Amino acid sequence: MDFTVIAEDVVHRTLRRHVRELVRKHAADQLDERERRGGDGFDEPFHLALGRRGWIVPTWPVDRGGAGLDRLGARILDLELARARIPATTLGITRLVLPAVERHASAAIRDELLAGVALGSVRFCLGYTEPEGGSDLAAARTRAVRDGGEWVISGTKLFTTGAQHCQYCFLLARTDPSRPKRRGLTMFLLPLDAAGVDIQPVRTLSGVRTNIVHLDDVRVPDRYRLGEVNDGWAVLRGPLDAEHSIGPGDDDGLDDASIGVIFLRQLQLALDATAGWASERGPDGTRPADDPVVVHRLGRVAVQLAAALATPGPAGRVRGAEATVAGAAELVDVLGPAGLLDGRAPGALESGRVEWLHRYAQGTTTYLGTVEIFRGIIAQRDLGLPRPVHPAGTATDART
Amino acid sequence: MDFTVIAEDVVHRTLRRHVRELVRKHAADQLDERERRGGDGFDEPFHLALGRRGWIVPTWPVDRGGAGLDRLGARILDLELARARIPATTLGITRLVLPAVERHASAAIRDELLAGVALGSVRFCLGYTEPEGGSDLAAARTRAVRDGGEWVISGTKLFTTGAQHCQYCFLLARTDPSRPKRRGLTMFLLPLDAAGVDIQPVRTLSGVRTNIVHLDDVRVPDRYRLGEVNDGWAVLRGPLDAEHSIGPGDDDGLDDASIGVIFLRQLQLALDATAGWASERGPDGTRPADDPVVVHRLGRVAVQLAAALATPGPAGRVRGAEATVAGAAELVDVLGPAGLLDGRAPGALESGRVEWLHRYAQGTTTYLGTVEIFRGIIAQRDLGLPRPVHPAGTATDART
Amino acid sequence: MDTSELRRQDYTLDGDQVVLRDLFAQFFARECPMDVVRAAEPTGHDPQLWRATAELGAMSMALPAEAGGDGAGIVEVALLAEQLGRRIAPVPLVEHVVASRLLAAGGGDDPIATLLADASRGRTVLGLGLERYDVPQLVSSGAVAGAVVGHRAGAVVVSTGGPQPHAANQAGLPSAWRDLGAEPCVEVPVASTAVLVDRARRELKVLTAAALVGLTEGALALAVSFVQTRRTQGVPLGSLQGVSFPLADVAIGVAGARHLCRRAAWFLDHEPEAEPDLPGIAFAYAAEVATHGVTVALHAHGGLGFAVESDVSRYFLRAKGWTLAAGDPGRDVLAAGEALLAKAARPDREDRRWTSR
Amino acid sequence: MDTSELRRQDYTLDGDQVVLRDLFAQFFARECPMDVVRAAEPTGHDPQLWRATAELGAMSMALPAEAGGDGAGIVEVALLAEQLGRRIAPVPLVEHVVASRLLAAGGGDDPIATLLADASRGRTVLGLGLERYDVPQLVSSGAVAGAVVGHRAGAVVVSTGGPQPHAANQAGLPSAWRDLGAEPCVEVPVASTAVLVDRARRELKVLTAAALVGLTEGALALAVSFVQTRRTQGVPLGSLQGVSFPLADVAIGVAGARHLCRRAAWFLDHEPEAEPDLPGIAFAYAAEVATHGVTVALHAHGGLGFAVESDVSRYFLRAKGWTLAAGDPGRDVLAAGEALLAKAARPDREDRRWTSR
């Protein structure tokens, strides 16, 4: 147990200064506002600038394209980027997929890919979900059929956020429909510039763009396969566990309790904004903070936020999302109708931050796995409850 | 749509006066307090007194033991009994079972039984639930085996509330284990004074006694069978639908929205009591009602109470129970630790009414069918969602 | 609500009301498919639908006969509001009807009579601005309302400054900031401003609650239809309790909120002073049910619900905005607590407990 | 909690703490099976368990070395409280430890020193009475506490009136009304009453929160074990999402509340002024989790949970009583709101937003 403020030595202080300078130089502190108006979780100049400094893979050695930072340095970097509210969806996904690429990519492409990732020129998006399957990833129907040294891939993938800025899609495909569903899957790094790849934008409530990717007989050389044929589930597992906040992690207190912190940072900003609003006199001369019921309602959000931030693993994912949804609704109620104005409308409160949060929050219960998936994981893995029994006789294992 | 105060004519006014006189004469307005200290939902002298006036079956003609009341008269009677907080568990269950007895009892016993019910000398308890089955009533294992003109019945029934004061148990038993589970059941009116019946008390959190009834080779003449052999599910259906607040009902506005009103009357009493407490100065000189946060919390309970009272059918059962559970917890918090004192302890608040409600409430989500049963009914019957699919291939129909 | 009181508890619609409800339901189903909703999003108002609604008689039905109306009550308008909500129709009808009824209390002289006649035919949109008169307020139909009915010390007034620039908002409402005090304005001669404004507030709450009931039911219907047709893990998605139970909870909320609205509307029409806190209670509960309901319905669609193209997302976006246009439901919760405490302190309290003596 | 601050976020127990936790867990599992809990119900206190707890060193561990203690912190006592809660042990240890630490601030002179020495060996039960001194207050261990530590204007005092008649209560607490001002009493010489009483309140909240975490986990364990072994509709009861998801929600609450308690305890020990509202937040959340958790756990048992004989009913009965003995969590929610607003109004607010400039 340790919650001390970490003493920074001169190296870390310098690093922090350098990150802030980079942010200022790229006016990256304004990306957040652009993002809320309708962004796509990515800014190429800034991403490449990170790459030039080795900050995409900060703990890798400099000669591999990293910055040779220790874990503390990497934490400082991440906190500074978060503090500056840098949109980091594609950065996060690229980092999530990276270990699977390191471990499973063929020798033919690995070094080039890793170097590209470090530089910022190679980015990954996820190709898991399909129109029919929902959160049952193992039901993937996208077909990959071997044809000599190539695979011919057809199917449709949803929620391939960032695909328009990425070079590869971390793709789950069915290679053997005759085997039990998890044993007939193979992972690929699908080059997104291949013929037959069609990326269609999908706008989400938060303003962020995601995509549908249609694959129509896309020919992919075998060297873009990750891991063994029909062993895709094992390859997928690493990124999936990381995304689900499962796994041992490091014990040095340099990780957040759960990946839910991504949502909760937004809730915190909106709560602080609402508290700021409540502390000032409105046009009618009253101070909302003088009303105990308002104070109590803000206190409720503060308690839920603190609890969610402390909740670990998959539990933290669920609490993070649900605290964000409930908190957003409460803050909107407190602000009243002006709190729902578009940030650019006259009289909008707090630049529309709460209005945006209210829309954004609705994605958090699905994004990176539905809360139902996580409840299933907790019921089975933490509580040891029996798996749901389905008619095929195959009980569903939520620990996926 | 009609919520007018109903004008009472002289007959109804007289009836109301008579009910109040009966309550006063039996000091029945004190039964409530006794009940909360640990009652059993029944007071024999009062029940018999009701019978003498024809008020157990108030709408039956006088010559059949009723009071010949119209539906308005019956409503006045029930409201007066509720206002006086008469414990009426056994009365309610007896009335619930009565239509099935009228319809399905053999000629050999029917008239005697109906006359006894009207007099108050014949009362019924429910024999549905078993130790293993939980709310899956159709899984009943209590066996009834034919032996000439008799049945030999063995098994165990839980939650046979009132059995110690009843003459018959409305019993669900399996008569043919080889048939699909709902088609091998038969209903009986099991005489509780038969040899082999063992009634063991079970105390509940609310202080009210329920029972486990063990049946060990109890011999029951065939005339106590209700309906056809193996057709018990159809016999059970009527009382079950009534209990579940399903069915057309009458459109004269003389019914409560749902059976949940039973719980909600208790919540209302506790809320009124807490409001009364909050309106007075405490020992430290402050008036809780002067604190807006207290007012807001009481307001929340008031809103939930009003909503639950208006919610019809199975939905009303769920809201009634859940509003009672949540409301009790909130009221306890508002009262503070003294609100949890036993009603007889010095300094107890409002005679321990809220303390008692907090315990009582926990039974309401199970009593007369679990809230999960009702959610299933609503999902399938009202929303048309598909039934849960279980491995045996038999989808579960919640509409039972 | 006194559970021992001998009142009818009849929530059913009579024959005429069923006909009316079905008429409104068919009207909005026909005139307001989702593409109409989407097409109106930039401004939040569809003038063609507005005219059709006027032709239906929706704007005059609840006016007194002297004002050319049919003398229908809030009960009937609530049936209309529910069906409007069911299709999230982009017309600011609820505010308009409440404002018209408030104007109608001013009697039959010009210029009020002309304004009212225009309003009852839909030629003018009336907004409602019941917040403080001396500071600019966000009027939910202020971008299309030719006139806004408000009040200042002791007087009901109509500000006729005409539509103001649209204040874009999440809910797709034709909102605008209106500074009523700065607009040209006419005083409406009424007997008691306080009583009428209070009455208008209560009507607004009940009708908004009814619209929210319809809105929530509409979102629920989309979710039910979605999970009925999808499969997961080899079984229908909607057969899983993790999916069906939350939807059942929404249905439970809708059933109760609908009844509560009907009750509140009936009391407004027949015994407005018998349960004065009921409109606020119905509104607070309908708001809670809507907030929860649209979130559950959207989530039931998985990631697809989060797409701007999904129909359910349109319902989600309106739930909060429609609510807040009628006030913060937290205020009504507080008021319900105050009403409870006022009753607790009443001298007749002991009388209601006669059996304990 | 500032998500951008560079603090360690290490919630894990170190080796010594794991040993301690396991020791406490084994102790209560061994010494406090359910029959001990039930046997103690009439008075809410088990003197034999009390003595065993004293022999374990639980009453002296968190006292300073000068007072014969081991100088452990609230972190360690919280580990103890959690395990005590896990078995709903009928000993008023939390109040006793907090009261002892408050006394220990008074230095080493008699009669305080003797009282403290007795308390640290369990020979006297110390109660905590931090409500207003001038009116009788319900002291959660007042029926067994020889002395109760309280405060009046500017002074910490110990009232030594001895145990008072038990006030029977739902939670099975050894509560009694104590009129501290009317009992014989000793003033405790301390530097700052306000600071120490505030500190004691915060300790009480954190330790109560820890006890509630253990209590909720205990109830959850019973429910899990129940639904693991039952079948319904041909499948294991616990395999239905309608059963397993609510239990998962309880587990989610327990995981978060436990971490929040650890964090709050650590800050009390190391930087008490860095996050002063954290004890209240941890308490409010643990109370919410416990209220919800015991209800879900009881309900998972079906009708059997509602029987007095069910073990889970004992957990249910204690959750609220243990909570309220440390105060109304609604007050702490309000305080969290006040702290937030105080921060919002602080001049350094803009500094925290440097990137927006």
Side-chain angles (χ1 to χ4, degrees):
Chain A
M1 219 177 295
D2 185 1
F3 304 97
T4 41
V5 173
I6 302 174
E8 295 174 42
D9 61 18
V10 65
V11 174
H12 293 126
R13 272 197 302 273
T14 308
L15 170 69
R16 190 184 286 275
R17 208 179 58 239
H18 286 166
V19 182
R20 291 190 180 193
E21 277 165 11
L22 179 72
V23 166
R24 283 218 186 82
K25 185 176 156 197
H26 281 261
D29 50 340
Q30 285 155 31
L31 293 179
D32 166 51
E33 188 145 346
R34 200 182 75 192
E35 183 77 4
R36 286 191 283 121
R37 305 259 172 273
D40 38 22
F42 178 71
D43 180 73
E44 186 159 38
F46 190 76
H47 190 82
L48 293 173
L50 284 178
R52 281 193 295 277
R53 283 159 184 78
W55 288 345
I56 290 172
V57 285
T59 58
W60 285 14
V62 174
D63 59 6
R64 290 186 59 214
L69 301 186
D70 58 5
R71 277 186 42 86
L72 179 55
R75 175 74 175 169
I76 290 171
L77 169 65
D78 284 349
L79 287 181
E80 284 300 322
L81 296 181
R83 185 198 296 264
R85 307 174 208 165
I86 306 294
T89 308
T90 289
L91 175 63
I93 291 172
T94 300
R95 284 178 173 176
L96 197 67
V97 170
L98 190 54
V101 175
E102 275 188 273
R103 186 158 164 203
H104 297 290
S106 63
I109 59 165
R110 189 172 47 215
D111 292 346
E112 185 195 329
L113 282 174
L114 298 184
V117 164
L119 271 173
S121 59
V122 169
R123 279 106 46 188
F124 304 133
C125 69
L126 300 179
Y128 297 167
T129 312
E130 301 192 359
E132 284 308 308
S135 54
D136 181 10
L137 300 186
R141 296 181 186 184
T142 292
R143 274 292 268 136
V145 178
R146 192 153 206 160
D147 180 20
E150 292 187 327
W151 295 83
V152 183
I153 303 183
S154 291
T156 302
K157 292 289 178 180
L158 296 183
F159 312 128
T160 48
T161 306
Q164 74 277 24
H165 297 300
C166 288
Q167 286 63 44
Y168 298 93
C169 177
F170 185 58
L171 186 90
L172 177 68
R174 184 157 308 281
T175 35
D176 188 346
S178 70
R179 306 182 65 167
K181 64 181 189 175
R182 280 191 198 168
R183 306 223 183 114
L185 297 164
T186 303
M187 293 303 300
F188 295 89
L189 268 188
L190 178 101
L192 285 162
D193 58 359
V197 175
D198 177 34
I199 301 173
Q200 291 296 330
V202 173
R203 282 279 156 202
T204 67
L205 275 184
S206 69
V208 168
R209 170 179 166 175
T210 183
N211 302 285
I212 299 188
V213 174
H214 298 287
L215 306 173
D216 184 14
D217 284 344
V218 180
R219 302 192 76 86
V220 178
D222 186 55
R223 64 178 182 278
Y224 288 104
R225 175 167 48 77
L226 296 174
E228 298 304 311
V229 174
N230 292 331
D231 199 27
W233 199 253
V235 177
L236 183 62
R237 190 90 184 210
L240 219 49
D241 280 358
E243 186 178 300
H244 291 181
S245 303
I246 298 174
D250 289 285
D251 270 359
D252 55 8
L254 291 175
D255 292 316
D256 291 306
S258 89
I259 209 167
V261 72
I262 296 174
F263 321 142
L264 295 167
R265 280 209 180 92
Q266 303 296 342
L267 177 60
Q268 174 112 57
L269 288 167
L271 176 60
D272 287 347
T274 308
W277 166 84
S279 303
E280 284 155 28
R281 290 195 188 281
D284 64 354
T286 65
R287 225 177 63 102
D290 292 334
D291 175 353
V293 176
V294 168
V295 180
H296 191 254
R297 289 160 84 179
L298 294 180
R300 266 172 31 192
V301 180
V303 168
Q304 297 305 318
L305 171 64
L309 281 170
T311 307
R317 265 290 280 103
V318 177
R319 283 309 298 142
E322 297 189 343
T324 305
V325 169
E330 185 79 60
L331 295 181
V332 163
D333 279 355
V334 169
L335 288 178
L340 287 178
L341 291 180
D342 181 289
R344 284 161 302 190
L349 302 181
E350 302 292 319
S351 326
R353 177 164 291 288
V354 178
E355 183 275 324
W356 174 80
L357 180 78
H358 186 238
R359 290 182 279 120
Y360 164 84
Q362 307 308 313
T364 64
T365 55
T366 305
Y367 175 64
L368 299 178
T370 67
V371 289
E372 287 75 19
I373 291 274
F374 295 105
R375 288 204 166 85
I377 290 173
I378 292 161
Q380 292 170 40
R381 199 191 60 154
D382 297 346
L383 299 182
L385 290 176
R387 302 171 186 182
V389 183
H390 292 311
T394 54
T396 311
D397 187 351
R399 286 172 286 184
T400 50
Chain B
M1 220 177 296
D2 185 0
F3 304 98
T4 42
V5 174
I6 302 174
E8 295 175 40
D9 62 18
V10 64
V11 174
H12 292 127
R13 273 197 301 275
T14 309
L15 170 68
R16 189 185 286 276
R17 207 178 58 240
H18 286 167
V19 182
R20 292 190 178 191
E21 278 164 10
L22 179 73
V23 167
R24 282 217 186 82
K25 186 175 154 198
H26 282 261
D29 50 341
Q30 284 153 34
L31 293 178
D32 166 51
E33 187 145 345
R34 200 182 76 194
E35 185 77 4
R36 285 191 284 120
R37 306 259 171 275
D40 37 22
F42 179 70
D43 180 72
E44 187 160 37
F46 191 76
H47 190 83
L48 293 173
L50 285 177
R52 280 193 296 275
R53 283 159 183 79
W55 288 345
I56 290 171
V57 286
T59 58
W60 286 13
V62 175
D63 59 6
R64 290 185 59 213
L69 300 187
D70 57 5
R71 278 186 39 88
L72 179 56
R75 175 74 176 169
I76 290 170
L77 169 65
D78 284 350
L79 287 181
E80 283 299 324
L81 296 181
R83 186 198 293 265
R85 306 173 207 165
I86 307 294
T89 309
T90 289
L91 175 62
I93 291 172
T94 300
R95 285 178 174 176
L96 196 68
V97 170
L98 191 54
V101 174
E102 275 188 273
R103 184 157 168 205
H104 298 289
S106 64
I109 60 165
R110 189 172 49 215
D111 293 346
E112 186 194 329
L113 282 174
L114 297 184
V117 165
L119 272 173
S121 59
V122 169
R123 278 106 46 188
F124 304 133
C125 67
L126 300 179
Y128 297 166
T129 313
E130 302 192 358
E132 284 309 309
S135 53
D136 181 11
L137 300 186
R141 297 182 186 184
T142 291
R143 274 291 270 133
V145 178
R146 191 151 206 161
D147 181 21
E150 291 187 328
W151 294 83
V152 183
I153 305 183
S154 290
T156 301
K157 291 289 178 180
L158 296 183
F159 312 126
T160 49
T161 307
Q164 74 277 23
H165 298 301
C166 288
Q167 286 64 45
Y168 298 94
C169 178
F170 184 58
L171 186 90
L172 177 69
R174 184 156 306 281
T175 35
D176 189 346
S178 71
R179 305 184 64 168
K181 65 182 190 176
R182 281 191 198 169
R183 306 221 184 114
L185 297 163
T186 304
M187 293 302 300
F188 295 89
L189 268 188
L190 179 103
L192 285 162
D193 59 0
V197 175
D198 178 33
I199 300 172
Q200 292 295 331
V202 173
R203 281 278 157 206
T204 66
L205 274 184
S206 69
V208 168
R209 173 180 163 173
T210 184
N211 302 285
I212 299 187
V213 173
H214 298 286
L215 306 173
D216 184 13
D217 283 344
V218 180
R219 301 192 77 87
V220 178
D222 187 54
R223 64 178 181 278
Y224 288 104
R225 175 166 49 76
L226 295 174
E228 297 305 310
V229 173
N230 293 332
D231 198 27
W233 199 253
V235 177
L236 183 62
R237 190 91 184 209
L240 219 47
D241 280 358
E243 186 178 301
H244 292 180
S245 303
I246 298 175
D250 290 283
D251 270 359
D252 56 7
L254 290 174
D255 292 316
D256 292 306
S258 89
I259 209 167
V261 72
I262 296 174
F263 321 142
L264 294 168
R265 282 210 179 91
Q266 302 298 341
L267 176 60
Q268 174 111 57
L269 288 166
L271 176 60
D272 288 347
T274 307
W277 166 84
S279 304
E280 283 156 27
R281 291 196 187 282
D284 64 355
T286 64
R287 225 177 63 101
D290 293 333
D291 176 353
V293 176
V294 167
V295 180
H296 191 254
R297 288 160 84 178
L298 293 180
R300 269 176 22 196
V301 180
V303 169
Q304 297 305 317
L305 171 64
L309 281 170
T311 308
R317 265 290 281 105
V318 176
R319 283 309 298 144
E322 297 189 342
T324 306
V325 169
E330 185 79 60
L331 295 180
V332 162
D333 278 355
V334 168
L335 289 177
L340 287 178
L341 291 180
D342 182 287
R344 285 161 301 193
L349 302 182
E350 302 292 320
S351 325
R353 178 164 290 287
V354 179
E355 183 276 322
W356 173 80
L357 180 78
H358 186 238
R359 290 181 281 121
Y360 163 84
Q362 307 308 312
T364 64
T365 54
T366 304
Y367 174 65
L368 300 177
T370 66
V371 288
E372 286 77 18
I373 291 275
F374 295 105
R375 287 204 167 85
I377 290 172
I378 292 161
Q380 293 170 39
R381 200 191 61 155
D382 297 345
L383 299 183
L385 291 176
R387 304 172 184 180
V389 183
H390 292 310
T394 54
T396 312
D397 187 351
R399 286 171 286 184
T400 49
Chain C
M1 241 159 129
D2 175 354
T3 53
S4 306
E5 201 181 6
L6 186 63
R7 279 190 184 270
R8 300 242 177 238
Q9 304 293 339
D10 179 6
Y11 293 94
T12 58
L13 303 184
D14 66 25
D16 289 349
Q17 289 164 338
V18 168
V19 169
L20 212 53
R21 195 250 335 251
D22 293 349
L23 176 75
F24 297 147
Q26 287 154 17
F27 173 80
F28 286 111
R30 186 179 63 240
E31 302 292 331
C32 190
M34 281 306 288
D35 56 343
V36 166
V37 172
R38 287 181 185 277
E41 287 201 339
T43 59
H45 180 62
D46 182 323
Q48 190 182 326
L49 180 61
W50 180 259
R51 281 190 297 273
T53 312
E55 282 158 23
L56 186 70
M59 296 170 195
S60 56
M61 63 185 263
L63 292 177
E66 313 86 79
D70 308 318
I74 291 297
V75 163
E76 285 73 26
V77 187
L79 296 176
L80 175 71
E82 187 178 328
Q83 296 309 320
L84 180 153
R86 180 69 182 73
R87 304 288 166 179
I88 47 174
V91 281
L93 191 69
V94 162
E95 305 90 316
H96 183 83
V97 168
V98 175
S100 299
R101 285 165 62 92
L102 186 46
L103 267 197
D109 295 335
D110 268 335
I112 306 299
T114 305
L115 189 56
L116 193 55
D118 283 352
S120 72
R121 294 183 185 88
R123 288 198 297 254
T124 294
V125 178
L126 288 187
L128 204 55
L130 300 179
E131 299 298 305
R132 280 178 59 166
Y133 190 76
D134 54 343
V135 287
Q137 57 182 303
L138 203 54
V139 172
S140 54
S141 60
V144 293
V148 176
V149 182
H151 66 112
R152 63 187 179 208
V156 172
V157 292
V158 198
S159 295
T160 53
Q164 296 298 314
H166 184 222
N169 61 93
Q170 179 178 109
L173 286 172
S175 307
W177 291 97
R178 299 284 289 247
D179 187 352
L180 302 193
E183 295 185 13
C185 102
V186 182
E187 197 156 312
V188 184
V190 298
S192 166
T193 301
V195 167
L196 285 170
V197 167
D198 178 57
R199 164 95 200 175
R201 283 213 176 91
R202 289 199 268 161
E203 291 184 358
L204 179 66
K205 282 183 206 299
V206 171
L207 296 179
T208 300
L212 290 172
V213 165
L215 181 153
T216 312
E217 190 168 61
L220 175 62
L222 291 170
V224 164
S225 149
F226 185 90
V227 306
Q228 271 170 337
T229 55
R230 302 264 156 171
R231 296 181 71 81
T232 187
Q233 315 283 3
V235 299
L237 187 55
S239 71
L240 295 175
Q241 292 179 342
V243 173
S244 65
F245 279 17
L247 293 175
D249 281 331
V250 178
I252 290 167
V254 167
R258 174 180 289 126
H259 271 197
L260 212 43
C261 282
R262 288 186 180 170
R263 190 179 177 90
W266 185 94
F267 271 92
L268 268 189
D269 284 343
H270 296 93
E271 298 181 44
E273 296 322 312
E275 301 204 14
D277 51 330
L278 198 51
I281 287 176
F283 171 60
Y285 189 66
E288 176 189 320
V289 165
T291 295
H292 171 252
V294 293
T295 293
V296 169
L298 189 141
H299 181 67
H301 287 73
L304 295 171
F306 193 54
V308 164
E309 294 106 274
S310 80
D311 288 347
V312 73
S313 75
R314 304 300 97 186
Y315 282 82
F316 163 75
L317 287 175
R318 277 147 188 80
K320 270 287 173 223
W322 288 22
T323 299
L324 295 177
D328 173 4
R331 296 283 112 204
D332 296 284
V333 171
L334 191 70
E338 282 160 358
L340 178 78
L341 288 160
K343 240 185 303 183
R346 257 191 349 216
D348 66 348
R349 185 182 159 217
E350 273 316 300
D351 185 54
R352 293 177 55 218
R353 298 187 168 185
W354 63 272
T355 56
S356 344
R357 276 181 299 189
Chain D
M1 241 160 131
D2 174 355
T3 52
S4 305
E5 201 182 5
L6 186 63
R7 280 190 185 270
R8 300 242 176 237
Q9 304 293 341
D10 179 6
Y11 292 94
T12 59
L13 303 184
D14 67 24
D16 288 351
Q17 289 165 339
V18 168
V19 168
L20 212 54
R21 195 252 334 252
D22 293 349
L23 176 76
F24 296 147
Q26 286 153 16
F27 172 80
F28 286 111
R30 187 179 65 237
E31 302 292 332
C32 189
M34 281 306 287
D35 56 342
V36 166
V37 173
R38 286 181 184 278
E41 287 201 340
T43 59
H45 181 63
D46 182 325
Q48 191 182 325
L49 179 62
W50 180 258
R51 281 191 296 274
T53 311
E55 281 158 25
L56 186 69
M59 297 167 193
S60 55
M61 63 185 265
L63 292 177
E66 314 84 79
D70 307 318
I74 291 298
V75 163
E76 285 73 27
V77 186
L79 295 175
L80 175 72
E82 187 178 329
Q83 295 309 320
L84 179 154
R86 181 70 184 72
R87 303 288 166 178
I88 46 173
V91 281
L93 191 68
V94 162
E95 306 90 314
H96 182 83
V97 168
V98 175
S100 298
R101 285 165 61 93
L102 186 45
L103 266 198
D109 294 337
D110 267 335
I112 305 301
T114 305
L115 188 56
L116 192 55
D118 282 353
S120 72
R121 294 183 185 89
R123 289 198 298 252
T124 295
V125 178
L126 288 187
L128 204 55
L130 300 180
E131 299 298 306
R132 279 179 59 167
Y133 189 77
D134 55 342
V135 287
Q137 59 183 300
L138 204 54
V139 172
S140 53
S141 60
V144 293
V148 175
V149 182
H151 67 112
R152 63 187 176 207
V156 172
V157 292
V158 198
S159 294
T160 54
Q164 295 298 315
H166 184 221
N169 61 92
Q170 177 179 112
L173 286 172
S175 307
W177 291 97
R178 301 283 291 246
D179 187 353
L180 302 194
E183 294 186 13
C185 102
V186 182
E187 196 156 313
V188 184
V190 296
S192 165
T193 301
V195 167
L196 286 170
V197 167
D198 178 56
R199 164 96 200 174
R201 283 212 177 93
R202 290 200 265 160
E203 291 184 359
L204 179 66
K205 283 183 206 300
V206 171
L207 296 178
T208 300
L212 289 172
V213 166
L215 181 153
T216 312
E217 189 168 62
L220 176 62
L222 291 170
V224 165
S225 148
F226 185 90
V227 306
Q228 271 171 336
T229 55
R230 302 264 155 169
R231 296 181 71 81
T232 188
Q233 315 282 4
V235 299
L237 187 55
S239 72
L240 295 174
Q241 292 179 342
V243 173
S244 66
F245 279 16
L247 293 175
D249 281 331
V250 178
I252 289 167
V254 167
R258 173 180 290 128
H259 271 197
L260 212 42
C261 282
R262 287 186 181 170
R263 189 177 178 93
W266 186 94
F267 271 92
L268 269 188
D269 284 343
H270 295 93
E271 298 182 44
E273 296 321 311
E275 301 205 14
D277 51 328
L278 197 51
I281 287 177
F283 172 60
Y285 189 66
E288 176 188 322
V289 166
T291 294
H292 170 253
V294 294
T295 293
V296 169
L298 190 141
H299 181 67
H301 286 73
L304 295 172
F306 194 54
V308 165
E309 293 106 273
S310 80
D311 288 347
V312 74
S313 75
R314 303 301 97 187
Y315 282 82
F316 164 75
L317 287 175
R318 277 147 187 80
K320 269 286 173 223
W322 287 22
T323 298
L324 294 177
D328 173 6
R331 295 283 112 203
D332 295 283
V333 172
L334 191 68
E338 283 159 357
L340 178 78
L341 288 160
K343 241 185 302 182
R346 255 186 355 210
D348 65 349
R349 185 181 159 219
E350 275 315 301
D351 185 54
R352 292 176 57 218
R353 299 186 168 185
W354 63 272
T355 55
S356 344
R357 277 182 299 188

